[in-house]
Amino acid sequence: MKTVTFTESQLDSIKRDIVKPITSFQKLSECAYIGERKKNRYMYKYMDIETAILCLKSNSIQFIEPTEWEDKYERRFYTADYSLITTNKSYTPKLYACCFTFSKASEAAWKTYSYNKSGLASRCVQFRINKAKFRKILHEYAKKNKCKVYEGPIDYSYTDSTINQLHLPTLKIHSLIFNKDFKLNNYLSLLLIKRQAFNYENEYRFFIIPQIETNDKAIYPIINWSDIIEGINVDKQCSDIEIEILNHYCKEYKVTVTPEKFNLYENPDSQIKIEL
């Protein structure tokens, strides 16, 4: 097996970026972030219209256990055996995650949530969400349910090969993560690793760690969408009836913004003339 090596400067950079302590938010003691705190005001949640309507009707948002993640590379460190590193279960707890993106114009996201789907309400919709307000709701949920909430940006700096070998002592970076000081921050950092091929996603992830472990594969925190949605875009191919249905449910659940069609490929000029 080929071993990947790093220069000292690369190792220093990796150590700064990956093994960062979790820092509490001001006045939000139940929430904490890991890595660089993103200052973006908005984040975006993509889904098909049917799912969006179900979210509005249920006043909830889905957090899933990482075992349900489609990408096996992402759940690699969630399902790993940590018994040789730590026996403290609070350092490697069962948890649930919900993902967002900071990319408003993500072609991949628009296609993913409409791909190979047909029928009414199958097109993609994008909610523009106020990040600070969403964080506050999670804080209240954490207080009420005695759980912990963490958040952080996805790290796309690793290749497939490095991820495959990261658990092996033969890799120099191994000792920076899997050491005697291995704690929750190391564990969550590992769950924020995603392959370089996915860096276009510009993803941001929230974790909920319940106080009491259950067998549930997903949890559904109650959330008033009208408090956090500040914009709604729908696929340009949405029919008028689809938009009408979505708009009906938005009004019913007091979401005051009106869904608008979004065309990623819109050209403001039909033809341009190159000038000398």
Side-chain angles (χ1 to χ4, degrees):
M1 183 177 292
K2 184 180 179 181
T3 300
V4 179
T5 58
F6 297 88
T7 65
E8 288 302 319
S9 61
Q10 286 175 320
L11 287 174
D12 288 341
S13 176
I14 290 168
K15 189 171 183 179
R16 288 195 304 271
D17 293 340
I18 301 302
V19 194
K20 285 191 176 181
I22 292 172
T23 306
S24 295
F25 285 121
Q26 293 181 354
K27 299 182 181 179
L28 293 177
S29 59
E30 299 297 332
C31 298
Y33 70 96
I34 193 165
E36 179 187 357
R37 185 177 183 182
K38 297 293 185 179
K39 297 181 180 179
N40 307 58
R41 179 178 180 183
Y42 299 115
M43 56 189 185
Y44 301 89
K45 187 68 174 174
Y46 290 83
M47 61 191 84
D48 59 53
I49 292 178
E50 181 181 9
T51 302
I53 290 172
L54 290 174
C55 287
L56 292 173
K57 291 180 68 175
S58 65
N59 286 317
S60 66
I61 187 169
Q62 185 186 56
F63 276 67
I64 65 171
E65 189 183 5
T67 51
E68 302 300 296
W69 288 344
E70 183 178 358
D71 189 346
K72 293 181 180 179
Y73 278 89
E74 287 189 82
R75 60 179 188 247
R76 182 177 180 83
F77 295 105
Y78 182 74
T79 57
D81 180 354
Y82 291 89
S83 59
L84 296 178
I85 304 297
T86 179
T87 56
N88 190 329
K89 296 297 184 181
S90 68
Y91 294 161
T92 57
K94 180 174 182 176
L95 51 75
Y96 301 88
C98 187
C99 305
F100 298 83
T101 178
F102 290 125
S103 296
K104 175 182 179 180
S106 172
E107 180 189 32
W110 283 109
K111 287 184 175 180
T112 295
Y113 289 97
S114 296
Y115 178 72
N116 204 26
K117 295 179 181 178
S118 59
L120 195 64
S122 62
R123 298 293 180 181
C124 182
V125 59
Q126 175 208 74
F127 287 162
R128 187 177 78 219
I129 294 172
N130 185 303
K131 181 159 62 72
K133 291 180 179 179
F134 179 75
R135 182 184 289 138
K136 184 176 180 179
I137 287 175
L138 285 190
H139 166 63
E140 294 301 323
Y141 173 84
K143 285 176 60 179
K144 184 177 180 180
N145 293 275
K146 297 181 179 179
C147 59
K148 296 291 185 180
V149 176
Y150 301 91
E151 63 178 87
I154 295 299
D155 181 351
Y156 299 101
S157 63
Y158 291 100
T159 63
D160 300 25
S161 176
T162 304
I163 295 174
N164 278 331
Q165 301 179 73
L166 197 57
H167 65 294
L168 302 174
T170 52
L171 204 63
K172 288 187 176 181
I173 190 178
H174 176 276
S175 62
L176 298 177
I177 301 175
F178 304 104
N179 52 50
K180 63 180 181 179
D181 294 322
F182 186 91
K183 290 188 173 71
L184 182 63
N185 62 304
N186 302 67
Y187 178 65
L188 293 180
S189 294
L190 291 166
L191 300 186
L192 290 171
I193 291 175
K194 204 162 185 175
R195 288 176 288 168
Q196 291 175 346
F198 292 91
N199 62 4
Y200 62 86
E201 292 180 345
N202 196 15
E203 189 178 323
Y204 200 73
R205 189 167 285 171
F206 288 82
F207 299 108
I208 291 178
I209 303 177
Q211 185 180 50
I212 301 175
E213 187 173 310
T214 70
N215 293 323
D216 297 334
K217 293 297 183 181
I219 58 175
Y220 299 86
I222 298 301
I223 185 170
N224 191 342
W225 288 95
S226 63
D227 289 340
I228 64 171
I229 294 178
E230 298 193 6
I232 301 176
N233 284 321
V234 296
D235 190 299
K236 63 182 178 64
Q237 296 182 4
C238 276
S239 65
D240 290 341
I241 188 65
E242 286 177 307
I243 296 177
E244 184 178 335
I245 291 172
L246 179 59
N247 199 31
H248 166 78
Y249 281 101
C250 285
K251 289 181 178 178
E252 181 175 345
Y253 294 98
K254 297 180 173 53
V255 177
T256 57
V257 294
T258 302
E260 297 181 358
K261 285 189 176 183
F262 181 80
N263 185 1
L264 186 62
Y265 306 102
E266 184 176 12
N267 188 341
D269 301 302
S270 58
Q271 184 180 36
I272 60 172
K273 185 175 183 178
I274 308 300
E275 300 181 6
L276 292 175

